[in-house]
Amino acid sequence: MRPFAYRRAEGPDDAVRSLETGGRFIAGGTNLLDLMKLGVEHPHQLVDIARLPNDAIHETDAGGLRIGARVSNTALAADPRVRRRWPLLSSALLSGASPQLRNKATTGGNLLQRTRCEYFQDLGRPCNKRAPGSGCGALEGYNRNHAILGTSEHCIATHPSDMAVALTALDAVVETRMRDGRTRSLPIRELHCLPDPRPEVEHVLEHDELIEQVVLPAPPDGAAHIYRKARDRASYAFALVSVAVVLRTVGDEVREARVALGGVAPKPWHATRIEERLRNAPATHESFLEAARAELAPAIGRGHNDFKVPLAERLIVTTLAEAAGLAHVPHRELIR
């Protein structure tokens, strides 16, 4: 590990003003420290924000929640209000990492964690995200865990966060602070970037911009919340495909659908085609299958990850059906 300067921030303004070019904020450190040990990240300065006062969850006047960026993943998943009114978020958080990591990982840090792509983490392999212009080793290499949507010839890495997928389906808003005193509210769906043309740019935040809060709007009345994650083992594994669904039905008709996908794209994937197809559509397996296929029509497999297309289709349909309260129907029956 290379030498670096360390500074403990005394407050939010001190944090953003003291961050130098090439420096990084550190809170839980569950991602950054690993990357520093691997030599992928080598900041010359760390500004410690682990003692800033934004570690609480408050209700908003509009019936939502304001979540401090320093709230741990464990505390957020266990909050009674989240478990009761936004169970999708609690389920997503509990499906990620391990209890020890969730105890340290923060809300703000989880949103900005970097990809777990093997080529990104291995200094001996080409990676445009780590070393722009070096190429993408995953394109012709081992790419089983890589993206099928939103990719480019520059990068096919996936975003690893479960929480960010849930927050995308929940229409969350990120509140930030900058060095010059400006603040802004940013829909989470606009936070992360796709890799074309600059795969090394992963989000739209400025260098000295600090996430302070994440705001959840009030959930739709009567909506079902479901998070499903397909992975290689039952715990401590990243998603091959995940689906976050907020679905409100009236009778046999879909009135509102919010859907996001994980494990399939370089950012949490807002499934707009599914949402558009399901608006006022019948709440049936056939409608869900048609919507899933429309969303996945642009998907590109790169060999080892070809299986993600049918896997995503099946997981989308079964998750929507569960949210709609439909009896299980084997997928093979739907495609006859």
Side-chain angles (χ1 to χ4, degrees):
M1 187 179 290
R2 303 182 186 187
F4 57 87
Y6 172 85
R7 175 186 174 88
R8 180 179 295 173
E10 300 298 328
D13 288 328
D14 180 54
V16 294
R17 289 171 183 164
S18 60
L19 187 71
E20 302 172 1
T21 301
R24 294 288 301 275
F25 295 122
I26 185 169
T30 57
N31 184 210
L32 179 59
L33 290 180
D34 282 345
L35 294 177
M36 290 174 67
K37 292 174 183 178
L38 290 171
V40 175
E41 292 268 12
H42 37 81
H44 71 84
Q45 178 209 34
L46 293 181
V47 175
D48 187 348
I49 58 173
R51 290 169 178 78
L52 297 189
N54 55 342
D55 60 348
I57 303 172
H58 300 288
E59 297 186 36
T60 68
D61 294 338
L65 285 184
R66 177 167 279 105
I67 304 161
R70 274 212 316 111
V71 172
S72 73
N73 288 180
T74 295
L76 183 56
D79 186 277
R81 294 161 295 186
V82 174
R83 295 175 63 187
R84 183 177 63 255
R85 301 187 65 208
W86 295 270
L88 168 66
L89 178 56
S90 183
S91 296
L93 285 162
L94 292 174
S95 75
S98 66
Q100 295 89 344
L101 288 173
R102 292 195 295 268
N103 288 343
K104 289 293 292 180
T106 63
T107 299
N110 187 300
L111 290 177
L112 300 182
Q113 64 182 301
R114 308 199 68 185
T115 183
R116 266 46 177 201
C117 171
E118 299 93 328
Y119 296 87
F120 172 71
Q121 295 186 339
D122 187 343
L123 299 184
R125 298 181 178 185
C127 173
N128 286 320
K129 188 179 288 292
R130 186 190 67 247
S134 63
C136 175
L139 282 172
E140 302 297 333
Y142 183 68
N143 48 42
R144 180 175 183 271
N145 295 319
H146 288 72
I148 56 174
L149 292 168
T151 61
S152 75
E153 295 303 308
H154 301 293
C155 180
I156 59 171
T158 56
H159 192 274
S161 173
D162 291 287
M163 184 190 78
V165 177
L167 291 176
T168 298
L170 293 171
D171 288 335
V173 173
V174 177
E175 296 183 342
T176 68
R177 176 188 300 262
M178 287 168 273
R179 183 190 302 267
D180 59 7
R182 288 181 296 145
T183 60
R184 65 168 165 167
S185 296
L186 182 71
I188 197 166
R189 294 172 177 176
E190 299 175 10
L191 175 63
H192 299 98
C193 301
L194 292 177
D196 195 15
R198 297 185 62 194
E200 75 277 13
V201 178
E202 299 176 342
H203 54 75
V204 300
L205 301 185
E206 298 181 15
H207 171 68
D208 59 356
E209 193 167 1
L210 177 68
I211 295 177
E212 291 199 293
Q213 315 281 341
V214 175
V215 180
L216 284 179
D221 291 335
H225 289 226
I226 305 288
Y227 186 78
R228 290 292 175 262
K229 178 178 179 178
R231 48 186 164 174
D232 284 326
R233 57 182 184 269
S235 65
Y236 200 53
F238 295 100
L240 296 171
V241 177
S242 64
V243 181
V245 167
V246 179
L247 189 74
R248 184 171 67 88
T249 59
V250 176
D252 296 329
E253 186 175 271
V254 176
R255 291 298 174 85
E256 183 176 3
R258 303 179 189 173
V259 183
L261 309 178
V264 297
K267 60 182 287 185
W269 189 258
H270 179 203
T272 55
R273 296 186 183 193
I274 291 177
E275 294 180 354
E276 292 167 1
R277 295 250 176 173
L278 292 184
R279 192 173 296 117
N280 299 321
T284 64
H285 290 92
E286 291 74 18
S287 292
F288 299 154
L289 179 59
E290 179 184 345
R293 287 179 170 172
E295 190 66 51
L296 295 168
I300 300 174
R302 304 283 179 169
H304 299 287
N305 67 348
D306 290 349
F307 74 97
K308 284 194 175 188
V309 179
L311 176 60
E313 180 183 293
R314 287 163 170 77
L315 196 60
I316 291 167
V317 173
T318 55
T319 306
L320 286 167
E322 181 181 355
L326 301 182
H328 174 68
V329 173
H331 196 77
R332 62 180 177 274
E333 298 293 332
L334 296 176
I335 59 177
R336 284 181 177 176

